[in-house]
Every structure is written in C-alpha cells, then in structure tokens.
Amino acid sequence: MALPEILKKKVIARTRAFIVETLDLRFSNGVERQYERLPKVGNEAVIIVALSENAEIMLVKEYCAGFHEVRLSLPKGSAEAGETLERAACRELSEEIGYSAKNVHIVKELSLAPSHMGFTINVVFASDLYPNKLEGDEPERLELVRWPVSDVDQLISSPEFSEARAIAALTLCKSFFS
C-alpha cells in the first residue's frame, strides 16, 4: 500500500501539550479525504517496568487529569533533549520512586492510537535497583507501591490499574520476571 499524497497540512489548534492539524490527502485510487491528527511533538517517552531485588514491580500512585482520579501505574516520562532512553528511564525512576537501575533494557516502542496520534512510548525493563532520589516535576511526591511479581496477573486485572500502556508494558516484560 502506498502512502497517500499530502495535498495540504494545516494547524487548527495548539495548546502547551498538543497540536491538532488537518491533513488533506489523495490516495493512490484518487479518493481525497481530510484527516485530523495529533502529530508527534516533543521528545521520546519511556514507561518503565522496574523489578526490585525482592521480585516486586515498582508502581506509582499518581493523579490522572484525564479522569480526575488517582490511579496505579508504572513510572514514566519524557526524555530530555540529548538524553538516551536508558538514561531517561533511570532519571524517571529516581524522580518518581527514589531508585535508579544498574540494568536497563529497551523492550519495544508502542504507538498509542496511530490512526489519529503520532505519539509513542518506549517500554523499558529495569533491574538491579539502588536508592537514588532526584527531585521530579510532579506537583507532589508520587506514592511508591510494591507489587509482588508473582501476582502480576492480579495487578493486570485490578480496576485501579487500567492504563493500556502499563498493561502492555507488563505483558511485554513477563519473560524478564523469571
């Protein structure tokens, strides 16, 4: 399948976090359509499955503005300019849970909703954790929750743990748990 020809691209809205643009496209069969999308902006992002020496998954309770709720998830965040994904994962761990990792493995890049959004996040597995606290950019300290890896299926089915990216990350990292 060939990529459609972009006839016109226009930014129709802009906020601090998002750009919304329209794409006027012509497909190889001559059909023309207009799409709205959130194109990729900013730096790469990471979501980290961190495993403690006691075989615990390190989780955070954090405020989720989309639902105006506190929910359980995995540490995550954006890489800074010039920062590798591995370094970003270690920094985010230090900021969000007060630990860093000696071993970091990039597992897979995930797209979120590729039909409408250009955003991706990189799943990272981290182990050999050690205490290392850094000040983060959250408005208040996140709560660390340790979850036994032996109960990972219970975590995935828990109503408090519902973020698709976090569920996908855990599923992708199951092979690292043994």
Side-chain angles (χ1 to χ4, degrees):
M1 174 182 277
L3 288 175
E5 175 187 0
I6 298 175
L7 303 173
K8 182 180 171 187
K9 181 169 41 172
K10 180 181 176 186
V11 173
I12 59 172
R14 186 184 302 266
T15 71
R16 289 182 315 212
F18 301 103
I19 294 173
V20 181
E21 66 183 15
T22 58
L23 292 177
D24 292 344
L25 304 172
R26 180 180 299 126
F27 290 82
S28 61
N29 62 1
V31 173
E32 292 185 10
R33 291 272 167 82
Q34 185 177 74
Y35 281 69
E36 290 183 357
R37 72 175 186 168
L38 299 172
K40 183 174 186 168
V41 294
N43 297 329
E44 295 291 320
V46 293
I47 186 165
I48 309 115
V49 177
L51 192 62
S52 76
E53 65 182 24
N54 297 323
E56 299 160 319
I57 301 164
M58 307 294 262
L59 305 168
V60 291
K61 277 195 175 185
E62 63 182 337
Y63 173 69
C64 299
F67 291 96
H68 190 60
E69 293 177 4
V70 173
R71 293 200 176 177
L72 196 56
S73 191
L74 295 170
K76 62 187 147 308
S78 295
E80 295 175 354
E83 188 177 45
T84 66
L85 294 176
E86 293 87 351
R87 182 65 207 124
C90 289
R91 180 184 46 75
E92 287 293 339
L93 287 174
S94 294
E95 291 175 358
E96 295 192 4
I97 66 168
Y99 287 84
S100 191
K102 294 178 185 172
N103 292 314
V104 179
H105 177 74
I106 307 300
V107 178
K108 184 177 179 77
E109 181 184 69
L110 300 175
S111 58
L112 304 180
S115 294
H116 303 287
M117 296 170 44
F119 299 111
T120 60
I121 196 159
N122 295 277
V123 176
V124 178
F125 179 75
S127 60
D128 293 328
L129 305 182
Y130 61 93
N132 187 46
K133 288 185 182 183
L134 292 176
E135 190 66 32
D137 58 0
E138 288 80 12
E140 62 184 8
R141 196 104 174 109
L142 301 180
E143 180 183 338
L144 170 62
V145 175
R146 297 168 181 262
W147 195 283
V149 74
S150 59
D151 291 337
V152 69
D153 291 331
Q154 180 185 350
L155 173 61
I156 289 171
S157 64
S158 168
E160 190 179 15
F161 189 80
S162 63
E163 184 180 2
R165 300 179 302 176
I167 292 168
L170 277 179
T171 302
L172 288 166
C173 289
K174 277 186 170 184
S175 64
F176 294 101
F177 296 161
S178 51

